[in-house]
Every structure is written in structure tokens, then in C-alpha cells.
Amino acid sequence: MIQDGDTLTIIGAGRERGFTLFEVLAVMIIVALLAGVSAPALGRIMDNLEFRQQVGKFTAVFRYARLLAISKGEIVSLKLSEEEDCLFVISGPVDETRECHLGEDDVLEMDPGEVFFYPEGLATPVLLTFEKGERVRRISLDILTGRPVVE
């Protein structure tokens, strides 16, 4: 800005401001490349998160059955249903079912087929194996405390 007496002149007032088409295209290409590189990694992260949540749900069912036995003072049994839908069947002072929410290719096996939780906090041995693609997690019970252990 130049002030000369009563006249005020703004330097660069005639120039228009903004981005050229070339600059906008260059930024769009960079953003597209970054999205293309990060999308597969984000997919793997989401799959891993879903797998970990599923394992957490299975351990929560074991903890629930154990706490039910302790709080009600009665033996509680837990087994996988033999129906098409994957269900945990809890029997004892209350009879309930909990859904497994398995995907199409997921595999869930429990050996032996039934586990018992006792009011003292003890449990019979069991091994729950969960497979989702190439990932495998095994959940066992500490027979002295009845608490689930993820291997």
C-alpha cells in the first residue's frame, strides 16, 4: 500500500488470487495416492480389531458363567449348541443362551463340549479354539480360579 497525499494505491490489487487448475490437480493426485496406499492397511487393522473383539466376547461368556456360579452358589454348565446357529448355552440357576456372531468362514470348537463352573470358583478344563482365516486364538480356563486365559 502506498499513500501519496490524497491518493491511496494498493499494490497488487489488479492480480487475482486463487489456485491454478494444475495446482488443484496435483493436490488431488497426491491425496488419491495416499488413500490408495493407506486403504489396505486400514482394512487389515479393522479385521484385526474385529477378531480381537470376538475373542473378548468369548472370554466374557466364560467370565459371566463363572460369576453366575459364584453369585448363585450353584453349579453352572456352559456348552456350544449343536444347532446351525452358534450359541453358548448356559444352564444352572438360570437358563440362557448367548450368540457367538460368527462369520461365514469362522470356526469355533470347544473341547470337551461342556464345561462346569463351581460356586467355589473352580472350573473343569476346557479349550475353546477360534479360527478366523489364518488367525487362531485358544481360550482355556485356569481350573483353580475358573478364569479364562487367552493363548
Side-chain angles (χ1 to χ4, degrees):
M1 214 165 43
I2 299 174
Q3 188 169 3
D4 184 22
D6 294 334
T7 308
L8 181 64
T9 307
I10 299 176
I11 298 175
R15 250 180 21 193
E16 294 199 24
R17 300 187 185 261
F19 299 106
T20 65
L21 181 60
F22 178 73
E23 291 169 332
V24 171
L25 286 175
V27 169
M28 290 178 66
I29 289 171
I30 291 170
V31 169
L33 287 173
L34 289 174
V37 169
S38 64
L42 184 61
R44 285 190 301 272
I45 289 170
M46 295 304 290
D47 286 344
N48 193 28
L49 180 62
E50 181 182 332
F51 179 73
R52 293 174 83 190
Q53 285 177 337
Q54 192 76 342
V55 170
K57 288 177 184 177
F58 299 149
T59 58
V61 170
F62 280 131
R63 285 193 302 268
Y64 172 73
R66 176 183 176 269
L67 290 174
L68 188 62
I70 292 170
S71 66
K72 298 294 184 182
E74 295 183 34
I75 296 174
V76 172
S77 73
L78 175 71
K79 63 182 178 180
L80 280 173
S81 69
E82 297 177 6
E83 301 171 8
E84 285 184 27
D85 295 333
C86 180
L87 295 172
F88 285 105
V89 179
I90 301 168
S91 302
V94 295
D95 295 331
E96 355 179 346
T97 58
R98 299 283 173 109
E99 291 187 30
C100 301
H101 301 289
L102 294 178
E104 293 177 15
D105 299 328
D106 297 351
V107 177
L108 185 65
E109 296 174 347
M110 194 161 116
D111 184 34
E114 187 171 17
V115 61
F116 294 94
F117 294 90
Y118 298 96
E120 300 82 21
L122 305 173
T124 57
V126 69
L127 181 64
L128 184 77
T129 305
F130 175 52
E131 297 178 22
K132 185 178 190 72
E134 296 176 4
R135 292 177 294 236
V136 177
R137 282 289 184 270
R138 290 177 180 82
I139 303 169
S140 60
L141 290 178
D142 182 336
I143 59 173
L144 297 177
T145 64
R147 292 186 175 142
V149 178
V150 179
E151 302 170 8

